[in-house]
């Protein structure tokens, strides 16, 4: 009589998959690398057709990184991505997007209308369009998250500065609150994340945190958050940020 097959070991399970929007460089690329370390697969998006750090990551992790093209400010590209992902289900959707105006030191009265509109589209409107469009691709018990900033906290704004950037992230936070209100009663976890001031192309050379100081902890916070339904505004150490 043949012996019965051994019970599955704790590692004999399908890898979970994160759909990571904006993963070509900086914080997004670092998040992709960290999820791979946590034994997740990654579907990451890049803008354009050129080679990026995410392509290098895919080469080093054969079969575990898929690369899609998306400019989040282009609705036609978003619709095409949704069609390409039709029928797939992800354990997490995280939107990493952010930019600053040409002169972040300008007061809101000095900002040009062009810069105001572009920043609000990139930092607030487009991330929410991605979430609204792709939420159906996230499992009912999955997590939907977005990269915000501690500077999006209205309660913590005691110094002003970077006023348009602050306003765009505060708007993103409010839109996520509205989205979460429509999700009330579900098992879905949602997170608005503040990564800290990190040395990237956006954060600049004077930022106190290296990517390695922020992103491994931020990903750990997201993984823990999956067990807590509802929306939270958290920093990279898991501390609650006041709205």
């Amino acid at each position: 009589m043949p012996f019965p097959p051994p019970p599955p070991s704790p590692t004999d399970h399908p890898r979970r998959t994160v759909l990571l929007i904006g993963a070509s460089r900086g914080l997004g690329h670092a998040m992709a690398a960290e999820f791979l370390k946590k034994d997740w697969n990654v579907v990451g998006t890049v803008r354009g057709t050129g080679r990026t750090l995410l392509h290098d990551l895919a080469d080093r992790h054969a079969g575990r990184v898929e690369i899609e093209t998306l400019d989040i400010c282009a609705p036609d590209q978003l619709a095409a991505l949704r069609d390409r992902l039709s029928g797939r289900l992800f354990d997490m959707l995280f939107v990493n997007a952010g930019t600053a105006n040409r002169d972040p030191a300008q007061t809101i009265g000095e900002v040009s209308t062009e810069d105001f509109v572009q920043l609000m589209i990139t930092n607030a409107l487009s991330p929410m369009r991605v979430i609204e469009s792709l939420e159906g691709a996230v499992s009912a018990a999955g997590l939907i998250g977005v990269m915000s900033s501690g500077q999006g906290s209205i309660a913590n704004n005691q110094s002003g500065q970077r006023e348009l950037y602050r306003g765009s992230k505060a708007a993103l936070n409010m839109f996520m609150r509205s989205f979460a209100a429509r999700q009330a009663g579900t098992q879905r976890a949602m997170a608005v994340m503040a990564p800290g001031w990190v040395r990237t192309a956006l954060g600049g050379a004077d930022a106190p945190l290296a990517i390695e100081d922020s992103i491994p902890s931020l990903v750990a916070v997201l993984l823990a958050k999956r067990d807590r339904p509802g929306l939270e505004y958290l920093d990279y150490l898991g501390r609650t940020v006041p709205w």
Side-chain angles (χ1 to χ4, degrees):
M1 177 181 296
F3 291 105
S9 72
T11 59
D12 289 338
H13 62 271
R15 285 191 176 101
R16 298 188 184 277
T17 303
V18 56
L19 175 55
L20 185 54
I21 307 298
S24 62
R25 60 191 177 97
L27 301 183
H29 167 258
M31 288 184 69
E34 189 64 24
F35 273 107
L36 290 168
K37 290 179 184 176
K38 299 292 187 183
D39 204 31
W40 281 53
N41 287 341
V42 174
V43 177
T45 70
V46 302
R47 288 190 300 168
T49 57
R51 188 170 181 87
T52 71
L53 293 174
L54 188 64
H55 290 83
D56 296 338
L57 201 61
D59 288 347
R60 296 196 300 270
H61 297 273
R64 295 187 54 201
V65 179
E66 299 174 51
I67 299 177
E68 292 282 355
T69 300
L70 175 67
D71 179 343
I72 66 167
C73 295
D76 58 333
Q77 291 189 25
L78 178 57
L81 176 64
R82 182 185 58 209
D83 290 344
R84 291 196 301 272
L85 298 178
S86 178
R88 296 189 63 174
L89 205 58
F90 296 92
D91 300 285
M92 186 182 301
L93 165 64
F94 192 88
V95 183
N96 172 59
T99 189
N101 50 311
R102 286 170 283 191
D103 183 1
Q106 288 179 318
T107 67
I108 195 64
E110 296 169 329
V111 169
S112 71
T113 301
E114 177 188 3
D115 281 355
F116 180 89
V117 170
Q118 188 56 49
L119 208 72
M120 284 294 182
I121 289 173
T122 303
N123 287 5
L125 175 60
S126 294
M128 293 310 303
R129 279 180 169 165
V130 170
I131 288 171
E132 296 277 9
S133 181
L134 299 179
E135 66 156 315
V138 183
S139 69
L143 182 144
I144 295 175
V146 67
M147 193 72 86
S148 182
S149 168
Q151 294 187 52
S153 168
I154 294 175
N156 278 351
N157 185 3
Q158 303 296 324
S159 63
Q161 303 176 7
R162 297 175 64 86
E163 294 182 16
L164 178 53
Y165 180 81
R166 284 182 183 273
S168 68
K169 290 299 189 177
L172 175 62
N173 294 351
M174 178 61 78
F175 296 147
M176 275 297 289
R177 288 287 295 260
S178 295
F179 176 79
R182 289 184 268 121
Q183 301 276 326
T186 73
Q187 289 301 304
R188 195 169 265 168
M190 289 158 282
V192 173
M193 297 301 302
W197 185 9
V198 184
R199 290 191 294 276
T200 63
L202 177 62
D206 295 331
L209 296 175
I211 288 178
E212 296 78 13
D213 299 324
S214 170
I215 293 305
S217 181
L218 184 146
V219 168
V221 169
L222 286 173
L223 295 178
K225 169 61 181 161
R226 293 167 58 237
D227 295 327
R228 302 195 305 273
L231 176 66
E232 294 181 72
Y233 185 9
L234 303 169
D235 74 3
Y236 69 102
L237 294 176
R239 300 172 299 195
T240 298
V241 182
W243 295 96

